[in-house]
Amino acid sequence: MMRRLLSALVLFGSTSLAGCATSGASSAAEVQRPRIEFTSKEKFDASAVPAYAGRHDETYAHIDANLASHLENLRRWVRQPSVSAQNQGVQEMATMLRDDLRKLGFKEAELVPTDGHPGVWGFYDAGAEKTLVVYMMYDVQPVEPTGWQVGAFDGALVDHALGKVLMARGATNQKGPERAFLNALESIIATRGKLPVNLMVVAEGEEELGSPHYPQVIDKYAERLKSASGVFFPFNSQGPSGDVSMFMGVKGILSFEMEARGSTQGGPMKSEVHGSLKAITDSPVWRLTQAMASLTTPDGNSIRVPGYYAPIRPPNEEEQRLVNGMLAEWRAREPGMRQSLGVQEWVDGMSGDDSLLRYLFDTTLNIDGMWAGYTGPGMKTILPHKATAKLDSRLVPDQTPEESLRLIRAHLDAQGFTDVETRLLSGYPPAQTSVSSSIVQAAISAYNKYGITPSVAPRLGGSAPYYIFTERLKLPLVAGGIGHGSGAHGPDEYMLIEPVAGSKIAGLAAIEKFYVDLLYALAEAR
Amino acid sequence: MMRRLLSALVLFGSTSLAGCATSGASSAAEVQRPRIEFTSKEKFDASAVPAYAGRHDETYAHIDANLASHLENLRRWVRQPSVSAQNQGVQEMATMLRDDLRKLGFKEAELVPTDGHPGVWGFYDAGAEKTLVVYMMYDVQPVEPTGWQVGAFDGALVDHALGKVLMARGATNQKGPERAFLNALESIIATRGKLPVNLMVVAEGEEELGSPHYPQVIDKYAERLKSASGVFFPFNSQGPSGDVSMFMGVKGILSFEMEARGSTQGGPMKSEVHGSLKAITDSPVWRLTQAMASLTTPDGNSIRVPGYYAPIRPPNEEEQRLVNGMLAEWRAREPGMRQSLGVQEWVDGMSGDDSLLRYLFDTTLNIDGMWAGYTGPGMKTILPHKATAKLDSRLVPDQTPEESLRLIRAHLDAQGFTDVETRLLSGYPPAQTSVSSSIVQAAISAYNKYGITPSVAPRLGGSAPYYIFTERLKLPLVAGGIGHGSGAHGPDEYMLIEPVAGSKIAGLAAIEKFYVDLLYALAEAR
């Protein structure tokens, strides 16, 4: 679910929040999205964290000398399909990751069976004082049938306005940065004999499915994991202009299906019937349409489910400081974000500032897909016997997937839609890390070494199963790294490998050097 | 669009219409389907029409002697796919029909190019006083991917509870009865040298698409067609119990698509975006869902479009007489109809009587299909940039497709759904024929000869482009014949070929003999 959305983060003015209390045009009195109100004007200043001062020239030189083979490692990974939703190449990718860890010298490297796709565990024993957990996902989203200018699993290198890019499914979400991180490990070990910290790799192959079985992977190693200093997730954090965003949390998610079928209450139960029978026959497609429509305002932007917004807590003091601190360097980015997404106007014509607040602090209800009846060319006049939709809701503190789905179900029942089924697909709560934790401070110090002081967001609008670390194991978590990619969850996904001259974005070599510095910064932190 | 729905016709009590004025449960005050009120208690009595007295034993014997080759003609036709919506085998089927007409001795037999699939014209010159127009459709519905017990184009003969059936797409809708009619012509010509009437065959290959280009076929021969006594459409009119229904009209139809896309007003314009962006991005899928939901009451059964019901005229005196006359033999059929359709309860739990009135006299708004975003296994958290639905509305006098779509568009605009597009796919108005016309009287006299006095319905709930004949050319039209089939527009479509012993349903031989008698009855009518 995670992707290069950080370049999408936009600034808001801390003194102009009045416009945020928007709601559906035709039902303002009925449904209110929660107001987002700030009490603090303090700004978090990432530049106050001292830049990491260590130098690892021999390792950097090894990276430069081996860059061609490092790049081939990335291409090898994206050429191996691993579409979790369609069970395409998943086992092969898990094996490839395990074998790569073994080759690097991980003492333990094994597939971890689950009730779904396997996890991968790796332990690198450096005999070091500190241990870092590395979260990885090795699965990717399904491939869009159209819109790709290259084969999604070709591993093509393409000339792009930003430079030479690796264009493939998984290039930036998430195989590219992950394999770049492993390249960094290879160069450290080749030049220094061992890593400066112990590593525990805990990878999953179902992130794009909502991580339904990741807890089974964690269960097996929970006690050992708790001994770590924190969790790191390799990530291309630079936007197209070279700026870096960090995020201290992620939204949770509730994924579910809604389905209406003919039943003893009415409608065809066996199969579709002739469309003319609509005169006397209930239509499951109309029932699904009406049930779904009851969930939101007519604009589709406010949730009409009673109590749905109630568990949402106001932004806390640290979150407010972080948001206030993002202002200066981020305000200008939002128009470019809209342009790259092909979105001319945000909801309600919101300004950039408001849209950041809404993006960070709002829950959502989104239709990912729906289908019923005849969808081919021409027409077929039938009354279908079932209709289905996939929906997701992004959850912010203190929402939970269980309670959110319960409220939706209760609303549907109260509206008389007892004939419309709701089926949980997956769900997990949001997660949060404090900016004062050692792994976060190490990451900021590394960014500062590269002259890229990050803006630090309280969270990402996307979702990841970080609650497993932050809530269950009480470990701080950072997703980070320099480098840039885009197009995750869409056609022409890419990761920038070789920027054009003068670019502020890191290419593959710099990305790997950053990872080297980060590991040493964490190891040396007091 | 037409099919074996006549067996589905159910009776109503002329004295118990009060319960018909139903409407959506949650909006009774807001939307009313029109009340259906009768002023006449007169009953039309088809048994008062004298049975056809002619005998054509030599022709009947020829049919019996050649039944095997006649059946092979039906199998040959259904084995030739002709799916108009998917352009599968359409040209080949048109050619097969033309060649069959030539072989029968039609002086003119030719494909008629249109802007869509071709029509087929045939003229048989018997030098007779009277001319009959024969309407045919040679296209079929798409095949359902599952649910068929035999290949849909295999032409399989299957043992069925009713006897031996031809099970195939098009077996009863409409190739089976049409080719049986041509078999009857063959036997007349073989035994009598020529037909008793001149024939003008006007076939189309786009009936299942809503007959968008059939007027182009008619245009070419309009002046010649106007000289005919009426129009005949070969049809398996017997229900499973052997009873026959005739219908004096058909509903019209409006077929259209609704589509929402990202626009300058909001939503992603280029392609799907990440689902987390729902927090600040308008969703075309929500917009389509909400726009569609605005069209009906929550139960999906009453149309909320202002003025939609206004053009509907009350049942006229002839329609009332016909409905009153259907009572005695039809009342018992409705439970069996529900069972065979897999529908336990009609809309609002209506009784059989009410459901007949609603079926005959109500307009409809039906969703044939809809689709958006990701519809595969698992999940893909995207915000799709477009969503589409196919809808149809069955039209009763005096609705027109143009005005109906205009009202829907005006309603959507008034509700603020200017961003949701409506696209006309096809449409035509309803059609009506008087029971007193010569072709209708000839058909009833033929039925009475076979001891099967028909119940005569004012119309069918399905649609056919008969307006071209009844409204434009002012010709009466009858769809009829004995025989039975079922499953049109669904899996396991069949036509009964050889009934079990004691059955009241006609097999192929009797079906063809009926067509012989019908032609002579019309020829001999004063």
Side-chain angles (χ1 to χ4, degrees), chain A residues 1 3 141 144 255 269 274 278 280 282 286 290 293 296 301 342 347 365-366 370 372 378-380 382 390, chain B residues 1 3 141 255 269-270 274 278 280 282 286 290 293 296 301 342 347 365-366 370 372 374 378-380 382 390:
Chain A
M1 251 135 279
R3 62 176 293 212
Q141 284 276 338
E144 303 68 24
S255 295
M269 296 164 71
H274 193 269
K278 182 66 203 80
I280 50 175
D282 293 294
W286 274 122
Q290 292 286 349
T296 74
N301 293 328
V347 159
L365 192 57
N366 178 52
M370 64 179 184
M379 52 177 278
K380 184 175 184 184
I382 54 169
K390 291 176 190 280
Chain B
M1 250 135 277
R3 61 176 295 210
Q141 284 276 337
S255 297
M269 297 164 71
K270 292 189 306 191
H274 193 269
K278 182 66 204 78
I280 51 175
D282 294 293
W286 275 122
Q290 292 286 349
T296 75
N301 293 327
V347 160
L365 192 56
N366 177 53
M370 64 179 185
Y374 183 69
M379 51 177 280
K380 185 174 183 185
I382 54 170
K390 290 176 189 283

Short mmCIF file of all heavy atoms in Angstrom, two decimals, chain A residues 1 3 141 144 255 269 274 278 280 282 286 290 293 296 301 342 347 365-366 370 372 378-380 382 390, chain B residues 1 3 141 255 269-270 274 278 280 282 286 290 293 296 301 342 347 365-366 370 372 374 378-380 382 390:
data_model
loop_
_atom_site.label_atom_id
_atom_site.label_comp_id
_atom_site.label_asym_id
_atom_site.label_seq_id
_atom_site.Cartn_x
_atom_site.Cartn_y
_atom_site.Cartn_z
N MET A 1 0.81 -1.21 0.00
CA MET A 1 0.00 0.00 0.00
C MET A 1 0.85 1.27 0.00
O MET A 1 0.41 2.32 -0.38
CB MET A 1 -0.84 0.05 1.26
CG MET A 1 -2.29 -0.18 1.00
SD MET A 1 -2.92 -1.31 2.20
CE MET A 1 -2.38 -2.87 1.51
N ARG A 3 3.82 3.89 -0.90
CA ARG A 3 4.39 4.29 -2.17
C ARG A 3 4.97 5.68 -2.05
O ARG A 3 4.96 6.27 -0.98
CB ARG A 3 3.32 4.29 -3.25
CG ARG A 3 2.21 5.28 -2.93
CD ARG A 3 1.24 5.33 -4.03
NE ARG A 3 1.88 5.89 -5.21
CZ ARG A 3 1.25 6.61 -6.12
NH1 ARG A 3 -0.03 6.83 -5.99
NH2 ARG A 3 1.86 7.07 -7.16
N GLN A 141 1.89 -4.97 -6.60
CA GLN A 141 0.50 -4.81 -7.06
C GLN A 141 0.30 -5.54 -8.40
O GLN A 141 1.25 -5.72 -9.17
CB GLN A 141 0.20 -3.33 -7.28
CG GLN A 141 -0.03 -2.55 -6.02
CD GLN A 141 -1.46 -2.66 -5.52
OE1 GLN A 141 -2.36 -2.97 -6.28
NE2 GLN A 141 -1.65 -2.43 -4.24
N GLU A 144 -1.54 -3.24 -14.46
CA GLU A 144 -2.63 -2.66 -15.23
C GLU A 144 -2.57 -3.21 -16.65
O GLU A 144 -1.50 -3.29 -17.26
CB GLU A 144 -2.48 -1.13 -15.27
CG GLU A 144 -2.44 -0.46 -13.91
CD GLU A 144 -1.19 -0.76 -13.09
OE1 GLU A 144 -0.16 -1.08 -13.69
OE2 GLU A 144 -1.27 -0.68 -11.86
N SER A 255 -10.24 -3.17 4.68
CA SER A 255 -10.61 -3.55 3.31
C SER A 255 -11.76 -4.55 3.40
O SER A 255 -11.67 -5.53 4.13
CB SER A 255 -9.44 -4.21 2.59
OG SER A 255 -8.41 -3.28 2.43
N MET A 269 -32.37 -15.75 -7.49
CA MET A 269 -31.45 -16.45 -6.60
C MET A 269 -30.48 -17.36 -7.35
O MET A 269 -29.41 -17.68 -6.85
CB MET A 269 -32.24 -17.28 -5.58
CG MET A 269 -33.09 -16.42 -4.66
SD MET A 269 -34.36 -17.37 -3.76
CE MET A 269 -33.35 -18.31 -2.62
N HIS A 274 -34.24 -12.32 -17.32
CA HIS A 274 -34.46 -11.34 -18.38
C HIS A 274 -34.73 -9.96 -17.79
O HIS A 274 -35.45 -9.82 -16.81
CB HIS A 274 -35.66 -11.80 -19.22
CG HIS A 274 -35.80 -11.05 -20.51
ND1 HIS A 274 -36.55 -9.91 -20.63
CD2 HIS A 274 -35.27 -11.29 -21.73
CE1 HIS A 274 -36.49 -9.48 -21.87
NE2 HIS A 274 -35.72 -10.30 -22.56
N LYS A 278 -37.65 -6.82 -14.50
CA LYS A 278 -37.46 -5.76 -13.50
C LYS A 278 -38.79 -5.18 -13.06
O LYS A 278 -38.93 -4.72 -11.92
CB LYS A 278 -36.57 -4.64 -14.06
CG LYS A 278 -36.29 -3.52 -13.04
CD LYS A 278 -35.46 -4.05 -11.89
CE LYS A 278 -35.60 -3.23 -10.61
NZ LYS A 278 -36.83 -3.58 -9.88
N ILE A 280 -41.26 -6.56 -12.02
CA ILE A 280 -41.82 -7.23 -10.85
C ILE A 280 -40.76 -7.90 -9.99
O ILE A 280 -41.08 -8.56 -9.00
CB ILE A 280 -42.87 -8.29 -11.27
CG1 ILE A 280 -42.33 -9.22 -12.35
CG2 ILE A 280 -44.14 -7.60 -11.76
CD1 ILE A 280 -43.29 -10.36 -12.72
N ASP A 282 -37.09 -7.71 -7.75
CA ASP A 282 -36.07 -6.90 -7.08
C ASP A 282 -34.72 -7.12 -7.74
O ASP A 282 -34.39 -8.23 -8.16
CB ASP A 282 -35.99 -7.28 -5.59
CG ASP A 282 -37.25 -6.92 -4.84
OD1 ASP A 282 -37.53 -5.72 -4.71
OD2 ASP A 282 -37.97 -7.84 -4.39
N TRP A 286 -29.38 -2.86 -7.97
CA TRP A 286 -29.93 -1.64 -7.38
C TRP A 286 -29.71 -1.64 -5.87
O TRP A 286 -29.41 -0.59 -5.27
CB TRP A 286 -31.42 -1.49 -7.68
CG TRP A 286 -31.72 -0.83 -9.00
CD1 TRP A 286 -32.43 -1.36 -10.03
CD2 TRP A 286 -31.31 0.48 -9.43
NE1 TRP A 286 -32.49 -0.47 -11.07
CE2 TRP A 286 -31.81 0.67 -10.74
CE3 TRP A 286 -30.56 1.49 -8.85
CZ2 TRP A 286 -31.60 1.84 -11.46
CZ3 TRP A 286 -30.33 2.66 -9.56
CH2 TRP A 286 -30.85 2.83 -10.86
N GLN A 290 -27.77 1.27 -3.95
CA GLN A 290 -28.42 2.07 -2.92
C GLN A 290 -27.72 1.93 -1.57
O GLN A 290 -27.57 2.90 -0.83
CB GLN A 290 -29.90 1.66 -2.81
CG GLN A 290 -30.73 2.03 -4.04
CD GLN A 290 -31.02 3.53 -4.12
OE1 GLN A 290 -30.78 4.29 -3.19
NE2 GLN A 290 -31.54 3.97 -5.26
N ALA A 293 -24.54 3.90 -1.74
CA ALA A 293 -24.84 5.34 -1.74
C ALA A 293 -25.20 5.84 -0.35
O ALA A 293 -24.94 6.99 -0.01
CB ALA A 293 -25.95 5.65 -2.74
N THR A 296 -22.22 7.48 1.99
CA THR A 296 -21.56 8.79 1.86
C THR A 296 -22.56 9.87 1.45
O THR A 296 -23.67 9.58 1.00
CB THR A 296 -20.44 8.78 0.79
OG1 THR A 296 -21.02 8.76 -0.52
CG2 THR A 296 -19.52 7.58 0.96
N ASN A 301 -17.73 12.28 -0.46
CA ASN A 301 -16.57 12.73 0.31
C ASN A 301 -16.76 12.76 1.82
O ASN A 301 -15.78 12.89 2.54
CB ASN A 301 -16.14 14.11 -0.18
CG ASN A 301 -15.62 14.06 -1.60
OD1 ASN A 301 -15.03 13.06 -2.00
ND2 ASN A 301 -15.86 15.09 -2.38
N GLY A 342 -2.79 14.18 -12.28
CA GLY A 342 -3.91 14.43 -13.20
C GLY A 342 -5.18 14.82 -12.46
O GLY A 342 -6.28 14.50 -12.89
N VAL A 347 -10.94 17.81 -3.43
CA VAL A 347 -12.29 17.80 -2.87
C VAL A 347 -12.69 19.21 -2.40
O VAL A 347 -11.91 19.89 -1.74
CB VAL A 347 -12.31 16.81 -1.67
CG1 VAL A 347 -13.46 17.11 -0.73
CG2 VAL A 347 -12.35 15.38 -2.18
N LEU A 365 -13.35 6.70 2.86
CA LEU A 365 -14.09 5.53 2.40
C LEU A 365 -14.00 5.56 0.88
O LEU A 365 -14.48 6.51 0.25
CB LEU A 365 -15.55 5.56 2.89
CG LEU A 365 -16.33 4.26 2.70
CD1 LEU A 365 -15.64 3.08 3.39
CD2 LEU A 365 -17.75 4.41 3.25
N ASN A 366 -13.35 4.56 0.33
CA ASN A 366 -13.00 4.56 -1.10
C ASN A 366 -13.51 3.28 -1.76
O ASN A 366 -13.48 2.21 -1.16
CB ASN A 366 -11.47 4.63 -1.24
CG ASN A 366 -11.02 4.58 -2.69
OD1 ASN A 366 -11.49 5.35 -3.52
ND2 ASN A 366 -10.12 3.67 -2.99
N MET A 370 -15.87 -2.25 -8.56
CA MET A 370 -17.21 -2.84 -8.42
C MET A 370 -17.58 -3.47 -9.74
O MET A 370 -17.08 -3.09 -10.80
CB MET A 370 -18.24 -1.79 -8.00
CG MET A 370 -18.49 -0.68 -8.99
SD MET A 370 -19.76 0.47 -8.34
CE MET A 370 -19.94 1.58 -9.74
N ALA A 372 -20.90 -5.97 -11.80
CA ALA A 372 -22.16 -6.70 -11.81
C ALA A 372 -22.57 -6.90 -13.26
O ALA A 372 -22.31 -6.06 -14.11
CB ALA A 372 -23.25 -5.93 -11.08
N GLY A 378 -21.49 -3.67 -26.54
CA GLY A 378 -22.91 -3.71 -26.86
C GLY A 378 -23.74 -3.78 -25.60
O GLY A 378 -23.38 -3.22 -24.58
N MET A 379 -24.85 -4.48 -25.67
CA MET A 379 -25.69 -4.57 -24.49
C MET A 379 -26.29 -5.96 -24.35
O MET A 379 -26.41 -6.71 -25.32
CB MET A 379 -26.79 -3.53 -24.53
CG MET A 379 -27.60 -3.53 -25.80
SD MET A 379 -28.93 -2.32 -25.73
CE MET A 379 -30.16 -3.23 -24.83
N LYS A 380 -26.65 -6.29 -23.15
CA LYS A 380 -27.31 -7.55 -22.84
C LYS A 380 -28.30 -7.22 -21.75
O LYS A 380 -27.91 -6.85 -20.64
CB LYS A 380 -26.28 -8.56 -22.35
CG LYS A 380 -26.84 -9.95 -22.10
CD LYS A 380 -25.77 -10.95 -21.74
CE LYS A 380 -26.40 -12.33 -21.60
NZ LYS A 380 -25.44 -13.35 -21.16
N ILE A 382 -30.18 -7.92 -19.10
CA ILE A 382 -30.40 -8.90 -18.03
C ILE A 382 -30.61 -8.20 -16.70
O ILE A 382 -30.22 -7.05 -16.52
CB ILE A 382 -29.19 -9.84 -17.90
CG1 ILE A 382 -27.89 -9.03 -17.69
CG2 ILE A 382 -29.08 -10.74 -19.12
CD1 ILE A 382 -26.71 -9.86 -17.29
N LYS A 390 -15.57 -3.70 -3.98
CA LYS A 390 -14.44 -3.72 -3.04
C LYS A 390 -14.25 -2.31 -2.53
O LYS A 390 -14.15 -1.38 -3.32
CB LYS A 390 -13.17 -4.19 -3.74
CG LYS A 390 -13.15 -5.66 -4.14
CD LYS A 390 -11.87 -5.99 -4.91
CE LYS A 390 -11.93 -7.37 -5.53
NZ LYS A 390 -11.65 -8.45 -4.59
N MET B 1 -34.34 -9.22 -27.64
CA MET B 1 -34.89 -8.95 -26.33
C MET B 1 -36.08 -9.85 -26.03
O MET B 1 -36.44 -10.08 -24.91
CB MET B 1 -35.40 -7.52 -26.27
CG MET B 1 -34.58 -6.65 -25.40
SD MET B 1 -34.31 -5.12 -26.25
CE MET B 1 -32.94 -5.57 -27.28
N ARG B 3 -38.39 -13.15 -25.78
CA ARG B 3 -38.10 -14.51 -25.35
C ARG B 3 -39.37 -15.18 -24.88
O ARG B 3 -40.44 -14.61 -24.92
CB ARG B 3 -37.08 -14.51 -24.20
CG ARG B 3 -37.61 -13.76 -22.99
CD ARG B 3 -36.66 -13.86 -21.86
NE ARG B 3 -36.56 -15.23 -21.44
CZ ARG B 3 -36.29 -15.57 -20.18
NH1 ARG B 3 -36.08 -14.67 -19.28
NH2 ARG B 3 -36.23 -16.84 -19.84
N GLN B 141 -28.09 -13.64 -28.16
CA GLN B 141 -27.43 -13.04 -27.00
C GLN B 141 -26.04 -13.64 -26.82
O GLN B 141 -25.78 -14.77 -27.23
CB GLN B 141 -28.25 -13.35 -25.74
CG GLN B 141 -29.49 -12.51 -25.59
CD GLN B 141 -29.20 -11.16 -24.96
OE1 GLN B 141 -28.21 -11.00 -24.25
NE2 GLN B 141 -30.06 -10.20 -25.21
N SER B 255 -31.98 2.03 -23.95
CA SER B 255 -30.74 1.48 -23.42
C SER B 255 -29.68 2.57 -23.41
O SER B 255 -29.47 3.24 -24.42
CB SER B 255 -30.24 0.32 -24.29
OG SER B 255 -31.17 -0.73 -24.27
N MET B 269 -7.95 12.48 -13.71
CA MET B 269 -8.35 12.59 -15.11
C MET B 269 -7.58 11.65 -16.02
O MET B 269 -8.06 11.29 -17.09
CB MET B 269 -8.14 14.03 -15.60
CG MET B 269 -9.01 15.04 -14.87
SD MET B 269 -8.49 16.77 -15.09
CE MET B 269 -8.92 17.04 -16.80
N LYS B 270 -6.37 11.25 -15.62
CA LYS B 270 -5.53 10.47 -16.53
C LYS B 270 -5.68 8.98 -16.32
O LYS B 270 -5.83 8.21 -17.26
CB LYS B 270 -4.05 10.85 -16.31
CG LYS B 270 -3.70 12.25 -16.73
CD LYS B 270 -2.19 12.49 -16.70
CE LYS B 270 -1.59 12.17 -15.33
NZ LYS B 270 -0.20 12.64 -15.21
N HIS B 274 -3.58 6.39 -6.27
CA HIS B 274 -3.51 5.60 -5.05
C HIS B 274 -4.75 5.83 -4.19
O HIS B 274 -5.22 6.96 -4.04
CB HIS B 274 -2.26 5.99 -4.27
CG HIS B 274 -1.93 5.04 -3.17
ND1 HIS B 274 -2.38 5.20 -1.88
CD2 HIS B 274 -1.19 3.91 -3.17
CE1 HIS B 274 -1.92 4.22 -1.12
NE2 HIS B 274 -1.19 3.41 -1.88
N LYS B 278 -7.99 9.29 -1.61
CA LYS B 278 -9.42 9.57 -1.42
C LYS B 278 -9.63 10.67 -0.39
O LYS B 278 -10.64 11.41 -0.46
CB LYS B 278 -10.16 8.30 -0.99
CG LYS B 278 -11.67 8.50 -0.83
CD LYS B 278 -12.32 8.80 -2.16
CE LYS B 278 -13.65 9.56 -2.04
NZ LYS B 278 -13.45 11.01 -1.78
N ILE B 280 -8.47 13.45 -0.20
CA ILE B 280 -8.53 14.79 -0.78
C ILE B 280 -8.98 14.78 -2.24
O ILE B 280 -9.03 15.82 -2.88
CB ILE B 280 -7.16 15.52 -0.68
CG1 ILE B 280 -6.02 14.64 -1.21
CG2 ILE B 280 -6.88 15.91 0.76
CD1 ILE B 280 -4.67 15.33 -1.24
N ASP B 282 -11.77 13.63 -5.28
CA ASP B 282 -13.11 13.16 -5.64
C ASP B 282 -13.02 11.82 -6.36
O ASP B 282 -12.10 11.58 -7.14
CB ASP B 282 -13.80 14.19 -6.55
CG ASP B 282 -14.09 15.49 -5.81
OD1 ASP B 282 -14.91 15.47 -4.89
OD2 ASP B 282 -13.47 16.52 -6.17
N TRP B 286 -17.68 6.87 -6.70
CA TRP B 286 -18.72 7.36 -5.79
C TRP B 286 -19.74 8.21 -6.53
O TRP B 286 -20.93 8.15 -6.26
CB TRP B 286 -18.11 8.17 -4.64
CG TRP B 286 -17.64 7.34 -3.48
CD1 TRP B 286 -16.38 7.29 -2.96
CD2 TRP B 286 -18.44 6.44 -2.68
NE1 TRP B 286 -16.34 6.41 -1.90
CE2 TRP B 286 -17.58 5.88 -1.70
CE3 TRP B 286 -19.78 6.05 -2.70
CZ2 TRP B 286 -18.03 4.95 -0.75
CZ3 TRP B 286 -20.22 5.12 -1.76
CH2 TRP B 286 -19.36 4.59 -0.81
N GLN B 290 -23.65 7.42 -6.57
CA GLN B 290 -24.63 8.37 -6.03
C GLN B 290 -25.61 8.83 -7.12
O GLN B 290 -26.81 8.97 -6.86
CB GLN B 290 -23.90 9.58 -5.43
CG GLN B 290 -23.10 9.25 -4.17
CD GLN B 290 -23.99 9.02 -2.94
OE1 GLN B 290 -25.20 9.30 -2.97
NE2 GLN B 290 -23.40 8.51 -1.87
N ALA B 293 -27.99 5.99 -7.70
CA ALA B 293 -28.90 5.83 -6.56
C ALA B 293 -29.99 6.90 -6.56
O ALA B 293 -31.10 6.67 -6.09
CB ALA B 293 -28.10 5.87 -5.25
N THR B 296 -33.64 5.98 -8.28
CA THR B 296 -34.70 5.11 -7.75
C THR B 296 -34.86 5.27 -6.25
O THR B 296 -33.99 5.83 -5.57
CB THR B 296 -34.42 3.62 -8.03
OG1 THR B 296 -33.40 3.14 -7.13
CG2 THR B 296 -33.99 3.37 -9.46
N ASN B 301 -37.05 0.03 -6.88
CA ASN B 301 -38.24 -0.38 -7.62
C ASN B 301 -39.14 0.75 -8.11
O ASN B 301 -40.01 0.51 -8.93
CB ASN B 301 -39.07 -1.36 -6.77
CG ASN B 301 -38.32 -2.67 -6.57
OD1 ASN B 301 -37.58 -3.11 -7.44
ND2 ASN B 301 -38.48 -3.27 -5.40
N GLY B 342 -36.28 -18.83 -10.19
CA GLY B 342 -35.50 -18.72 -8.96
C GLY B 342 -35.80 -17.44 -8.20
O GLY B 342 -34.94 -16.87 -7.55
N VAL B 347 -41.48 -8.08 -6.27
CA VAL B 347 -41.36 -6.76 -5.64
C VAL B 347 -42.50 -6.52 -4.64
O VAL B 347 -43.66 -6.79 -4.95
CB VAL B 347 -41.40 -5.69 -6.76
CG1 VAL B 347 -41.76 -4.32 -6.22
CG2 VAL B 347 -40.06 -5.66 -7.50
N LEU B 365 -36.71 0.57 -14.69
CA LEU B 365 -35.34 1.07 -14.82
C LEU B 365 -34.46 -0.02 -14.23
O LEU B 365 -34.57 -0.36 -13.05
CB LEU B 365 -35.16 2.40 -14.09
CG LEU B 365 -33.86 3.13 -14.39
CD1 LEU B 365 -33.66 3.39 -15.88
CD2 LEU B 365 -33.81 4.45 -13.62
N ASN B 366 -33.63 -0.61 -15.09
CA ASN B 366 -32.87 -1.81 -14.73
C ASN B 366 -31.39 -1.58 -15.00
O ASN B 366 -31.02 -0.94 -15.99
CB ASN B 366 -33.37 -2.99 -15.58
CG ASN B 366 -32.59 -4.26 -15.31
OD1 ASN B 366 -32.46 -4.69 -14.16
ND2 ASN B 366 -32.07 -4.87 -16.36
N MET B 370 -22.47 -3.14 -14.45
CA MET B 370 -21.67 -1.96 -14.07
C MET B 370 -20.28 -2.43 -13.73
O MET B 370 -20.06 -3.57 -13.35
CB MET B 370 -22.31 -1.20 -12.91
CG MET B 370 -22.39 -1.97 -11.61
SD MET B 370 -23.14 -0.93 -10.31
CE MET B 370 -22.95 -2.02 -8.89
N ALA B 372 -16.09 -0.86 -12.49
CA ALA B 372 -15.12 0.20 -12.19
C ALA B 372 -13.94 -0.44 -11.49
O ALA B 372 -14.09 -1.41 -10.76
CB ALA B 372 -15.74 1.26 -11.29
N TYR B 374 -10.69 -2.15 -9.87
CA TYR B 374 -10.10 -3.49 -9.79
C TYR B 374 -11.17 -4.49 -9.43
O TYR B 374 -11.86 -4.36 -8.42
CB TYR B 374 -8.99 -3.50 -8.75
CG TYR B 374 -8.29 -4.84 -8.67
CD1 TYR B 374 -7.49 -5.28 -9.72
CD2 TYR B 374 -8.43 -5.66 -7.56
CE1 TYR B 374 -6.86 -6.50 -9.67
CE2 TYR B 374 -7.78 -6.89 -7.50
CZ TYR B 374 -7.00 -7.30 -8.55
OH TYR B 374 -6.36 -8.52 -8.51
N GLY B 378 -8.31 -10.88 -4.61
CA GLY B 378 -7.58 -10.09 -3.63
C GLY B 378 -8.02 -8.64 -3.67
O GLY B 378 -9.18 -8.34 -3.94
N MET B 379 -7.08 -7.72 -3.43
CA MET B 379 -7.47 -6.33 -3.44
C MET B 379 -6.37 -5.48 -4.06
O MET B 379 -5.21 -5.87 -4.13
CB MET B 379 -7.78 -5.84 -2.04
CG MET B 379 -6.70 -6.15 -1.02
SD MET B 379 -7.11 -5.45 0.59
CE MET B 379 -6.63 -3.75 0.37
N LYS B 380 -6.79 -4.33 -4.55
CA LYS B 380 -5.88 -3.35 -5.12
C LYS B 380 -6.43 -2.01 -4.71
O LYS B 380 -7.51 -1.63 -5.16
CB LYS B 380 -5.84 -3.51 -6.64
CG LYS B 380 -4.82 -2.62 -7.32
CD LYS B 380 -4.72 -2.91 -8.81
CE LYS B 380 -3.64 -2.03 -9.42
NZ LYS B 380 -3.55 -2.16 -10.87
N ILE B 382 -6.95 1.26 -5.09
CA ILE B 382 -6.85 2.35 -6.05
C ILE B 382 -8.10 3.23 -6.00
O ILE B 382 -9.16 2.79 -5.55
CB ILE B 382 -6.70 1.82 -7.50
CG1 ILE B 382 -7.85 0.85 -7.82
CG2 ILE B 382 -5.35 1.16 -7.67
CD1 ILE B 382 -7.92 0.47 -9.29
N LYS B 390 -24.39 0.07 -17.48
CA LYS B 390 -25.34 -0.08 -18.58
C LYS B 390 -26.73 -0.22 -17.96
O LYS B 390 -26.92 -1.04 -17.07
CB LYS B 390 -25.03 -1.34 -19.39
CG LYS B 390 -23.75 -1.26 -20.22
CD LYS B 390 -23.49 -2.60 -20.92
CE LYS B 390 -22.13 -2.63 -21.58
NZ LYS B 390 -22.05 -1.89 -22.84
#
